[in-house]
Amino acid sequence: MSSEWPLWEIFIRGQHGLNHRHVGSLHAPDAEMAIRNARDVYTRRNEGVSIWVVRSNDITASSPSEKGPLYDPSNSKVYRHPTFYDIPDEVGHM
Amino acid sequence: MPSLPDMTTPNLDALAGQALAQGGHAQVPAPDAGQPQFVEFLQRMGDNCLILGHRVSEWCGHSPALEEDIALANQALDLIGQCQLWLGLAGEVEGRGRDADALAYLRDAGAFRNLLLVELPNGDFGVTLMRQFLFDAFHIEMLRALRTSADPRVAEIAAKAEKEVAYHLERSADLVIRLGDGTDESHRRMQAALAKLWPYTGEMFLDDAVDQAMADAGVAPLPSALKAAWDRTVASVLDEATLALPADGWHHKGGKNGIHTEHLGYILAQMQFLQRAYPGAKW
Amino acid sequence: MYAQLVKSEGSKTREEMTPEEIAFQDRIDRNEKIEPKEWMPEGYRKTLIRQIGQHAHSEIVGQLPEGNWITRAPTLERKAILLAKVQDEAGHGLYLYCAAETLGVSRDELLEALHSGKMKYSSIFNYPTLTWADMGAVGWLVDGAAIMNQVPLQRTSYGPYSRAMIRICKEESFHQRQGYDIMMKMCAGTPEQKAMAQDALNRFWYPALMMFGPSDKDSVHSAQSMAWKIKMNTNDELRQKFVDQTVPQAEYLGLTVPDPDLKWNEEKGGYDFSEPDWSEFFAVIAGNGPCNAERLGARVKAWEDGAWFRDGLMAHAAKASERARAARHAAE
């Protein structure tokens, strides 16, 4: 059996200047075709978006067993969360 | 489908529309009436899109990979959309009350004006891709030229279609290169596809009286004027694909004048079946 | 549904579970999502691969009965809508294969299992689409039944599956509506069109009911899958919900549901209806439906005929990257 097209992870930045966001994956023989396939599969051809593709094998992910040490510290920094602050109603939406 | 405003003669059009809306016959002749050559030209544009879109859509669910299936469906959708615009305008200019659907579903083969190239059977995936590339390389030049058409409706359709077709060409050219310069088998298949299709490419660049009239009116370029650019695109892509350019030989023709291959009849038998079996039904 | 008779691995009481399995079940009970590469019981992984794989296969085989009519659609607009819909099904197959791939199986392996008959797809796609009204009936009934199952699956415990379902549900919202729209047009059309619509309902009603799988009392695999939140509702629950939703829609169209025993049951607040012929269901699953051979044959042919294309592109990618490497080397 022939070799399978590698798997790519697809990241797309929409029109509104937000960060690239992971939208899914697909198969393609190389990066250039992965971008084109992403355009057809995940944007159905929307113009004006930016696409990143990364070979799935090249992604290094935090390992689930490290879940405690990696994530706990920031969980304690509650001041990073907007709800940490009590804003009086009179001030309005913030 | 977006309706295209007639910027040249808005009042006449509006009057004609009103008259029709009131249920009577239009008292005011359509502004473009008496332009059979213009209608002819618009049908050529629309029929190419319709028939090629039909062929490409035959792959849906049968392509070699899911990613390719989805990409081809996008292409077929673009072509069907373009066909609706061209044939819609053709019906409007003709002024006999036929819309795009009436033209697509109720003409017999002899009234179709598409190139023979686009009605040829899909063959293997290589033939499909090569046919797409050879046509895209022509289509893009035609649409670019039409953007400066003296008829603003034509220019507007061309501007929309050009963006889509630029992407079709990017894809088809790239795949021809990759498969030509892939395995021995993919190379052999692409070369065979080219040999099979080459005799159908000459028709794209033949000028006739319709083309001359359109060129004189500033509506469309002479097809022969597009050949140099097409030659350059094709030569450079085939070179990169390590495929040999076929020697120029015999070229088939006839589609533009309604003399088709046997294949078109079967396409229409399928496409028009419901409209023919249940005349006048609404779907 | 698109996944019927998915065999579920193992079914343990809490006392029989290892501490790891208990912790895992607790996470699921707290509605936490399980993500790829996290620890999971082997049975959970295998059951998911079967279910997601079967769901993916159903999407791509499901392209065929409708794809059948793309070249015969009666207007240009209907042609475009149908093509876009069948294209979505290819996309949904793609998302689901990708979700399955996070569990350590490749798309090619899954396809091979489909082609060899080791893995199944939904029984519904082994029925023929004989008239244009079938495009209406498939959208209305088959997509309607599918949505019934897929909406709750957005909350399934496995993260990638849940995310794929969210995307699919979003894209699929027009599928059922376009089917019903076709039915409305035909029911308001000529007597022949209306007869065609009734005929389509007659042929697709019971196969649509079969999509939810056998009755709960005969469904051996449900309990474990529900505990794992891979399956969110029982077969009978969904079937009842589907009937209750669909009967008024049929009435609006002026069509008759082909079940003489169908009647409203005030007490339970739902319809009483006849069970489909389950012997037919098992025959179709076993490969003896009207279109099994054709459907599978079409998929195998597409795959085999496309091998040179996929290989050619891989070969080119290898050549191009080798050339780029050599060029960099020369430049240094």
Side-chain angles (χ1 to χ4, degrees):
Chain A
M1 174 148 160
S2 51
S3 60
E4 187 167 355
W5 290 354
L7 192 64
W8 301 78
E9 300 302 322
I10 311 301
F11 300 81
I12 292 181
R13 187 183 65 212
Q15 321 275 13
H16 306 296
L18 297 173
N19 289 330
H20 281 78
R21 199 168 66 85
H22 183 243
V23 294
S25 25
L26 50 74
H27 288 271
D30 63 16
E32 198 188 333
M33 280 203 69
I35 287 192
R36 223 176 8 242
N37 287 346
R39 203 173 151 203
D40 275 305
V41 172
Y42 286 106
T43 76
R44 297 284 200 276
R45 302 279 198 74
N46 248 332
E47 305 285 340
V49 297
S50 159
I51 301 175
W52 287 349
V53 300
V54 186
R55 258 178 106 120
S56 306
N57 283 341
D58 291 342
I59 289 191
T60 309
S62 59
S63 111
S65 57
E66 292 163 10
K67 193 167 174 179
L70 262 180
Y71 295 122
D72 280 345
S74 56
N75 279 350
S76 64
K77 297 185 179 108
V78 285
Y79 48 81
R80 286 188 179 278
H81 295 274
T83 47
F84 176 71
Y85 306 96
D86 285 326
I87 305 285
D89 288 346
E90 304 86 83
V91 179
H93 181 73
M94 189 174 286
Chain B
M1 181 175 73
S3 63
L4 296 160
D6 178 347
M7 293 177 235
T8 49
T9 48
N11 294 334
L12 278 179
D13 229 26
L15 282 171
Q18 273 170 21
L20 284 171
Q22 283 154 13
H25 294 288
Q27 296 304 305
V28 185
D32 303 299
Q35 295 186 43
Q37 286 165 324
F38 191 21
V39 176
E40 191 80 4
F41 165 76
L42 292 167
Q43 289 182 70
R44 288 177 182 181
M45 294 301 297
D47 290 345
N48 281 336
C49 296
L50 175 60
I51 302 301
L52 186 58
H54 180 100
R55 281 299 191 210
V56 175
S57 79
E58 289 175 9
W59 279 104
C60 189
H62 304 275
S63 305
L66 273 177
E67 286 80 2
E68 203 55 37
D69 211 278
I70 293 166
L72 277 186
N74 275 337
Q75 219 164 278
L77 283 169
D78 287 346
L79 289 166
I80 294 166
Q82 291 169 23
C83 140
Q84 287 176 296
L85 297 176
W86 291 122
L87 292 185
L89 182 56
E92 194 183 302
V93 173
E94 184 188 54
R96 285 170 46 201
R98 297 201 287 182
D99 60 9
D101 278 337
L103 289 170
Y105 288 92
L106 299 173
R107 282 176 301 161
D108 202 349
F112 272 75
R113 294 293 180 259
N114 58 281
L115 299 162
L116 300 181
L117 178 70
V118 298
E119 70 196 40
L120 297 178
N122 283 339
D124 69 6
F125 209 62
V127 173
T128 294
L129 289 174
M130 185 60 83
R131 180 185 60 199
Q132 190 70 43
F133 166 64
L134 295 170
F135 179 74
D136 290 343
F138 157 77
H139 202 191
I140 193 74
E141 299 302 336
M142 176 58 93
L143 293 171
R144 277 183 190 141
L146 290 178
R147 286 184 56 181
T148 53
S149 169
D151 188 300
R153 297 164 300 182
V154 170
E156 190 175 340
I157 298 174
K160 178 186 181 293
E162 190 212 336
K163 285 190 210 133
E164 295 169 350
V165 171
Y167 183 65
H168 299 180
L169 177 61
E170 182 189 319
R171 267 185 57 82
S172 63
D174 184 61
L175 286 171
V176 165
I177 290 168
R178 287 166 182 268
L179 293 166
D181 185 25
T183 58
D184 289 346
E185 183 182 5
S186 70
H187 179 89
R188 179 179 59 72
R189 283 178 184 262
M190 294 315 279
Q191 191 71 61
L194 187 58
K196 188 186 170 91
L197 298 169
W198 194 254
Y200 293 91
T201 56
E203 189 188 8
M204 297 190 283
F205 308 105
L206 295 178
D207 302 335
D208 64 9
V210 171
D211 297 312
Q212 195 59 58
M214 289 298 97
D216 292 345
V219 171
L222 276 179
S224 60
L226 307 175
K227 187 158 191 310
W230 182 84
D231 281 340
R232 276 195 301 279
T233 306
V234 169
S236 101
V237 167
L238 293 185
D239 179 57
E240 206 180 334
T242 71
L243 295 170
L245 197 65
D248 239 332
W250 175 255
H251 283 290
H252 300 286
K253 59 173 196 269
K256 282 169 72 170
N257 300 306
I259 314 291
H260 290 274
T261 65
E262 291 177 346
H263 307 297
L264 183 66
Y266 290 100
I267 291 179
L268 298 185
Q270 219 175 47
M271 183 164 83
Q272 300 179 339
F273 148 68
L274 279 169
Q275 290 283 358
R276 301 290 190 185
Y278 302 95
K282 297 275 175 286
W283 304 92
Chain C
M1 190 40 39
Y2 278 14
Q4 301 156 319
L5 292 179
V6 175
K7 188 168 167 295
S8 184
E9 297 275 334
S11 183
K12 291 183 181 172
T13 63
R14 211 168 164 88
E15 291 70 43
E16 295 165 335
M17 287 183 188
T18 64
E20 256 173 332
E21 286 168 344
I22 289 175
F24 179 81
Q25 188 61 50
D26 288 346
R27 288 188 61 198
I28 289 185
D29 293 344
R30 286 196 302 269
N31 286 325
E32 279 183 31
K33 291 280 183 261
I34 309 302
E35 294 296 337
K37 294 184 180 164
E38 291 179 347
W39 186 87
M40 60 185 79
E42 192 53 15
Y44 177 84
R45 195 180 72 88
K46 281 192 177 154
T47 308
L48 265 178
I49 289 177
R50 276 195 208 115
Q51 178 168 329
I52 302 174
Q54 196 181 108
H55 193 159
H57 296 330
S58 297
E59 295 284 354
I60 66 166
V61 176
Q63 287 185 271
L64 300 171
E66 288 174 284
N68 215 1
W69 279 89
I70 291 171
T71 55
R72 288 180 290 172
T75 69
L76 293 169
E77 190 183 63
R78 289 284 180 207
K79 190 191 284 286
I81 292 171
L82 184 61
L83 181 54
K85 179 186 185 249
V86 181
Q87 179 194 42
D88 276 353
E89 282 153 15
H92 299 168
L94 187 149
Y95 306 155
L96 288 161
Y97 283 120
C98 288
E101 282 180 275
T102 62
L103 292 159
V105 60
S106 76
R107 189 200 290 179
D108 282 9
E109 284 165 349
L110 289 168
L111 288 174
E112 212 176 321
L114 169 69
H115 298 159
S116 69
K118 243 187 279 169
M119 286 183 83
K120 304 287 185 205
Y121 53 88
S122 176
S123 56
I124 191 74
F125 302 117
N126 290 313
Y127 289 88
T129 53
L130 302 176
T131 72
W132 175 253
D134 290 7
M135 296 302 97
V138 168
W140 171 36
L141 301 174
V142 176
D143 288 278
I147 290 165
M148 207 124 262
N149 187 47
Q150 290 173 351
V151 166
L153 271 177
Q154 294 178 100
R155 291 180 285 110
T156 187
S157 62
Y158 188 56
Y161 192 23
S162 155
R163 291 190 284 274
M165 290 320 304
I166 289 169
R167 196 174 182 98
I168 288 171
C169 286
K170 199 165 112 196
E171 292 183 0
E172 212 159 58
S173 53
F174 86 87
H175 290 186
Q176 190 187 13
R177 282 162 167 263
Q178 68 86 36
Y180 197 70
D181 187 59
I182 290 175
M183 293 305 261
M184 287 201 300
K185 265 275 168 37
M186 297 195 70
C187 289
T190 63
E192 287 114 312
Q193 284 177 300
K194 178 134 192 206
M196 236 189 269
Q198 180 65 56
D199 169 63
L201 174 58
N202 294 349
R203 281 181 291 108
F204 277 97
W205 175 255
Y206 287 107
L209 295 188
M210 290 178 199
M211 288 176 68
F212 299 94
S215 174
D216 293 342
K217 55 184 190 298
D218 306 319
S219 202
V220 283
H221 311 301
S222 286
Q224 178 63 72
S225 287
M226 288 184 75
W228 279 333
K229 294 187 185 161
I230 291 175
K231 190 179 166 80
M232 308 301 285
N233 308 81
T234 72
N235 297 348
D236 287 336
E237 268 168 33
L238 289 173
R239 191 168 12 248
Q240 180 70 52
K241 203 171 159 205
F242 174 76
V243 171
D244 292 345
Q245 174 189 291
T246 309
V247 170
Q249 294 167 350
E251 282 166 0
Y252 179 84
L253 292 171
L255 297 178
T256 309
V257 173
D259 178 358
D261 296 327
L262 181 85
K263 67 168 189 297
W264 179 255
N265 180 334
E266 190 62 51
E267 200 178 321
K268 78 170 178 185
Y271 285 90
D272 290 332
F273 58 94
S274 305
E275 291 274 305
D277 175 358
W278 291 111
S279 64
E280 176 181 316
F281 170 75
F282 287 107
V284 172
I285 291 280
N288 297 315
C291 298
N292 292 60
E294 268 164 283
R295 299 289 186 248
L296 199 55
R299 287 308 317 162
V300 170
K301 183 177 186 320
W303 184 247
E304 287 175 354
D305 288 356
W308 71 270
F309 170 83
R310 296 188 302 273
D311 291 347
L313 293 186
M314 274 309 277
H316 177 85
K319 279 187 196 177
S321 104
E322 180 53 32
R323 271 180 225 137
R325 203 190 58 80
R328 269 200 310 277
H329 194 70
E332 278 161 15

